[in-house]
Amino acid sequence: MAQGCLKCLKYTMCFANLLIFICGVAVLGFGVYMMVNFKLAALTPTLASFNFANMLLVCGIVITCVSFLGFLGALKENRCLLLTFFLLLFILMLVELTVACLLLMYEGEIGRLVKEDLTKGLEKARGSNSTSEWDLVQETLDCCGVENVTDWLPNIPRSCYTSGWGSSKPEYRKQGCLLMLKNLFEENFLTTGISVIVLCIIEVLGMCFAMTLFCHISRSGLGYKL
């Protein structure tokens, strides 16, 4: 009975890690696509290394590597790989909780930094007459400039207009992109929090499965020795 449960645990862990590995490859591919097609560094030049595409790329690499370790460790009943998988999950969970706490504690400071960087990005785009990245954001979020349309004066890009482009009475998008980004974050705050909690639960389950399998292998003398 115990052997049957442990075999079930082993193959469940293999199947779960395989699914997570496939998801990690998808995230990695989407991150590469975003990096190639959307040069978001023009929006936030100072925070360019922390843009959405780079974060997807890093997350994809981490997910694929960790899930591959878990899959291979369970399949081969390798104690070294299982222990490494356990430690990596534990470190990832600590990092996620630390980042979540820092975002809550320094929300105002982060908002100020984002505003300053968006302003620098807008000034750079205005000086180079290349606003394609800003056009994408302004049309997607229905916003204009950092605070409002006056940030673009005297050369207002077409993406700021709602109607009347080229006429004497044009109409512009009323909200600034900073406010729209803040609203977007607040609207998805609960979803993000629930996602972090679910992710931590999955990581705790993964650690429990890995340690249970590790202890069984140690008691039975199977698998590779450390």
Side-chain angles (χ1 to χ4, degrees):
M1 182 67 180
Q3 287 293 110
C5 290
L6 286 165
K7 279 188 179 180
C8 180
L9 178 64
K10 170 184 173 178
Y11 291 116
T12 300
M13 191 171 168
C14 287
F15 180 71
N17 277 288
L18 182 61
L19 284 179
I20 294 170
F21 179 83
I22 294 170
C23 292
V25 171
V27 171
L28 181 61
F30 187 61
V32 172
Y33 173 79
M34 289 283 291
M35 186 172 289
V36 170
N37 291 279
F38 302 102
K39 306 297 183 182
L40 297 180
L43 297 177
T44 54
T46 305
L47 302 175
S49 57
F50 298 99
N51 64 47
F52 187 61
N54 286 349
M55 286 191 289
L56 282 177
L57 199 63
V58 172
C59 288
I61 293 171
V62 171
I63 291 169
T64 52
C65 291
V66 174
S67 58
F68 180 75
L69 278 176
F71 173 80
L72 195 61
L75 185 66
K76 297 294 185 181
E77 296 187 356
N78 186 311
R79 289 190 293 166
C80 183
L81 290 178
L82 286 171
L83 184 60
T84 305
F85 176 71
F86 174 87
L87 292 173
L88 286 175
L89 281 183
F90 182 69
I91 292 169
L92 282 174
M93 189 172 66
L94 288 180
V95 170
E96 289 160 10
L97 292 174
T98 302
V99 170
C101 291
L102 288 175
L103 286 174
L104 289 173
M105 290 172 61
Y106 298 100
E107 182 181 353
E109 184 68 16
I110 292 170
R112 185 184 63 80
L113 290 173
V114 170
K115 179 181 178 180
E116 290 178 358
D117 218 37
L118 282 172
T119 302
K120 289 179 183 178
L122 188 144
E123 290 174 354
K124 185 177 179 181
R126 188 172 55 190
S128 64
N129 294 321
S130 176
T131 62
S132 56
E133 291 80 16
W134 275 95
D135 290 338
L136 175 65
V137 171
Q138 290 178 157
E139 289 171 359
T140 303
L141 298 180
D142 190 23
C143 61
C144 180
V146 179
E147 297 286 350
N148 50 53
V149 67
T150 58
D151 295 329
W152 285 106
L153 292 175
N155 299 317
I156 301 172
R158 188 170 183 175
S159 58
C160 276
Y161 291 82
T162 55
S163 64
W165 182 70
S167 69
S168 58
K169 293 183 179 180
E171 293 184 8
Y172 306 107
R173 303 183 193 277
K174 297 179 181 180
Q175 301 293 343
C177 291
L178 181 65
L179 179 62
M180 297 303 288
L181 285 171
K182 184 179 178 181
N183 291 341
L184 184 66
F185 176 78
E186 290 176 350
E187 288 171 4
N188 292 279
F189 185 78
L190 181 60
T191 304
T192 304
I194 293 172
S195 300
V196 171
I197 293 170
V198 170
L199 186 59
C200 287
I201 292 171
I202 293 172
E203 287 169 345
V204 170
L205 287 174
M207 287 189 289
C208 291
F209 283 13
M211 191 50 62
T212 302
L213 199 56
F214 176 87
C215 293
H216 166 69
I217 295 168
S218 298
R219 284 197 303 267
S220 61
L222 300 173
Y224 296 101
K225 296 185 181 295
L226 288 172

